[in-house]
Amino acid sequence: MEKMLVIDGNSILNRQYYGVRPLCTKEGIYTNAVFGFTKVLLSLIDRLAPDAMAVAFDRKEPTFRHKLYDAYKAGRHATPEELLMQFPYAERLVKALGASVLSLPGYEADDILGTLSRRSEEAGMTCFLVTGDKDALQLITDRTTVLLAGNAETVSYTPEVFYEKYGVTPAQFVDVKALMGDASDNIPGVSGIGEKTALKLIAQKGSLEALYADLPGLHLTPALQKRLETGQDSAFFSQTLARIDCAAPLEATLESLARRPYDFDALRALFRELEFTAFHKIFREEPTASAGSAPAAPTALPSTVPQSATPQSTVLQLGDLSSRTFSAPLALFETETGLSLADAAGAYFLEGVTLASFFDAWPAARRVPVAVYDSKALFYALPAASALSVEVADDFSLAAYVLDAAGSFSPERLVAVYLNEELDREAPATQMLRLRQTLEERLVREDTLKLYRTVELPLARVLFAMEQRGFLVDKEMLADFSEKLESAAAIAMQEIYHLAGKSFNINSPKQLGEVLFEDLKLPVFKKNKSHGYSTDAEVLEKLRPFSPIIDLITSYRQSVKFKATYADALCRAADEDGRVHTRFHQTVTATGRLSSAEPNLQNIPVRTELGREFRRAFAAREGCLLVDADYSQIELRIVAALSGDETMIRAFREGVDIHAVTASQIFGLPVENVTSELRKRAKAVNFGIVYGIGGYSLSQDIGISKKEADEYIAGYKATYPKVDAFLKNQIKLAKEQGHVTTLFGRRRYI
């Protein structure tokens, strides 16, 4: 064996826990640390191809350092429960990847790293240590490299790299720590000595022992001399605590740490349990062993579907269909090589057949309710004139979306999460039928079946029809509008250059910042890391009173954006009949809202003069009208219905101005005496409280003191006590059950 890889499991897991966004399985198991850990291990194996590999973990028992010093590592925060629960899974992962898990009573993971690095060196091996703890830097030698994980990158420390950074050798780093101490481990060091001074002293004398042997001859300042004299005992004690034990009584031999091939069964079980479907694609094809690598660690998982669950498909020809009768629902799943079908009687396969050719060759299929992964994709696969004649009994992506709107809804993930299997490439339709049953059982159990059947499933058909119809736009008007915007931008640009006294790239935040804050000397409100001065919309708004150039820049930006994002883009998106065909996505947002793309027709501006002019480009066909309909104060009506607050309900039933009524109640005035300013403030309170606004944010929104805002909120709660109680109860329910629900039963998981 030539190469050893040793990883500090606690250190890397901890970094991944705080570095990867929270992830959780449907069973409530936190997985973000293990997810990141998996990526790290796979990357290291791929990059280093070690012959031997071990991951070291700390143990709960006190170490020899704790016995020497009760306060060792005192003051550290307890490990979060969400991280603790992930350690057993991390150990399973290590073993499944063919590496060894090591821990030693009375010793830390660092001591295991040190011991294995020295044993590797003695055996003539190269060793790589992976950690996020700088303590391990003392272990660097010509044969041992420390890969130190940081927030932005992992730095590979060799003796040369270390010396260039610190000016001492790795072996001297223990003595540096002996002087400066270590707050994270609660190693005392010498009071008043920091890293800079410690490095200088050890670089000058070579060691702690040499430093104290020649302390009087160093000609130090009296204060530093006194600190070192007073802290001598602490320095040598800290040296003992900081030094990694490279001769720990570890029973494992180098031979026993030889890397083994991946345990496919164990990986399969672990990835399914943790719902790591992202890794399934990595483990699909058998690799070839690379030259000089350890025994091949295959990166492919074999088929995971039990044979009993996937009966052999009957191969059919299109001509066979006329004599066959399928029971409903008929599951359909298009693969790269053909069409997989399944019903209650069996599984079938049509080689080289697509969904389009299937329905074209066998029109009777339109009379059989089908179950598919994506109903809109099915509609798009068929001729537009006949697509909606197909009866869709189930859409698995929509069913899964109703169950949990977060995450992805790929067939691979749904099969992994709900069937605990991998997608069977030979007979996926059979799995889809079983997936249908599982999803329906969950929908019934969570009381969301009605939402799926009466809202989401039929909505897909409506959205497809809307997309096919498209929205008519006036292409001629858009072209004229684009020219007008181009002209407006050009005029604004020349005026900006005149006021700036030079030409420059207005679209460059860096150049614009230099003009505004260095040339024109405008006040600086905010800076950012990438290009210095911030010139975002918020900053420009604050700068408006200081120079007429600001309004010109805002006008220029609006003209450029409207031309590129709206006028030109919409004109390009329109077909030869002048219709724009957007795509409405049902499974993108976590809240149940639709999203629009290619192009986005839900984000057409209206609050500016340019936006209102642009909206005139949307037209109705001859003989028809466009109807603009909006719910009046819909959020407040929903809150009134959900909370049952009589005062708010009465206001709506009587048709009065809800914001004026709120202002009347909060400020103790008759409704007829409520001014427009008071109504505006009451409106901010009405909507703000629904979304959890606090006194500070409300004060910023409507330009009042925090004390006044707090009084407004208190007045609101007194006016509508059941609304206040409802909102508090929603928070309580979210904490207790992990979700809240809408009137239709849609769940929003927290």
Side-chain angles (χ1 to χ4, degrees), residues 288-307:
T288 56
S290 58
S293 67
T299 56
L301 286 174
S303 175
T304 63
V305 184
Q307 191 63 36

Side-chain angles (χ1 to χ4, degrees), residues 670-702:
V671 173
E672 57 271 17
N673 290 349
V674 171
T675 65
S676 59
E677 177 60 29
L678 292 178
R679 183 186 181 279
K680 177 184 175 183
R681 295 184 179 187
K683 181 177 180 180
V685 176
N686 266 330
F687 286 110
I689 285 183
V690 173
Y691 294 106
I693 201 169
Y696 175 76
S697 296
L698 181 61
S699 70
Q700 296 296 301
D701 285 352
I702 59 178

Side-chain angles (χ1 to χ4, degrees), residues 155-178:
V155 179
S156 181
Y157 276 99
T158 60
E160 295 75 22
V161 173
F162 180 86
Y163 187 83
E164 183 178 349
K165 180 174 178 62
Y166 291 103
V168 297
T169 67
Q172 294 171 326
F173 196 53
V174 175
D175 293 344
V176 173
K177 286 199 68 174

Side-chain angles (χ1 to χ4, degrees), residues 189-364:
V190 175
S191 178
I193 302 293
E195 182 182 59
K196 185 177 180 180
T197 301
L199 285 168
K200 181 179 178 181
L201 290 171
I202 297 302
Q204 183 178 352
K205 296 306 297 180
S207 69
L208 191 66
E209 290 76 10
L211 171 68
Y212 275 100
D214 190 29
L215 196 57
L218 290 178
H219 306 295
L220 304 172
T221 64
L224 180 56
Q225 179 92 12
K226 186 175 181 180
R227 287 193 191 104
L228 288 168
E229 289 173 350
T230 305
Q232 180 171 349
D233 290 343
S234 179
F236 281 100
F237 181 62
S238 297
Q239 183 191 53
T240 300
L241 292 175
R243 178 171 282 124
I244 292 174
D245 190 340
C246 294
L250 199 62
E251 293 184 3
T253 64
L254 296 182
E255 291 73 19
S256 68
L257 302 180
R259 189 159 60 93
R260 304 173 298 279
Y262 289 175
D263 183 337
F264 290 123
D265 291 337
L267 281 172
R268 179 174 66 240
L270 181 63
F271 288 166
R272 285 179 185 163
E273 188 174 347
L274 299 182
E275 300 173 13
F276 285 174
T277 53
F279 293 116
H280 289 172
K281 296 176 183 177
I282 301 174
F283 294 86
R284 192 161 284 161
E285 297 177 0
E286 290 284 348
T288 56
S290 58
S293 67
T299 56
L301 286 174
S303 175
T304 63
V305 184
Q307 191 63 36
S308 59
T310 55
Q312 186 70 32
S313 297
T314 300
V315 178
L316 299 176
Q317 303 298 321
L318 280 176
D320 300 331
L321 296 176
S322 59
S323 60
R324 282 197 167 269
T325 301
F326 294 103
S327 60
L330 174 64
L332 301 174
F333 195 95
E334 189 174 321
T335 72
E336 293 178 359
T337 58
L339 187 64
S340 174
L341 301 82
D343 65 2
Y348 315 94
F349 191 79
L350 292 166
E351 190 171 357
V353 174
T354 64
L355 283 167
S357 59
F358 171 70
F359 281 97
D360 183 58
W362 191 49

Side-chain angles (χ1 to χ4, degrees), residues 527-544:
K527 285 191 173 186
N528 52 47
K529 294 180 180 179
S530 56
H531 38 252
Y533 303 109
S534 174
T535 58
D536 61 21
E538 181 183 355
V539 169
L540 292 187
E541 183 61 30
K542 291 180 180 179
L543 290 172
R544 284 183 63 189

Side-chain angles (χ1 to χ4, degrees), residues 4-8 53-56 112-113 116-117 127-130:
M4 165 72 80
L5 171 63
V6 191
I7 299 165
D8 184 336
M53 180 175 170
V55 179
I112 296 175
L113 267 64
L116 290 180
S117 67
C127 185
F128 292 90
L129 305 178
V130 182

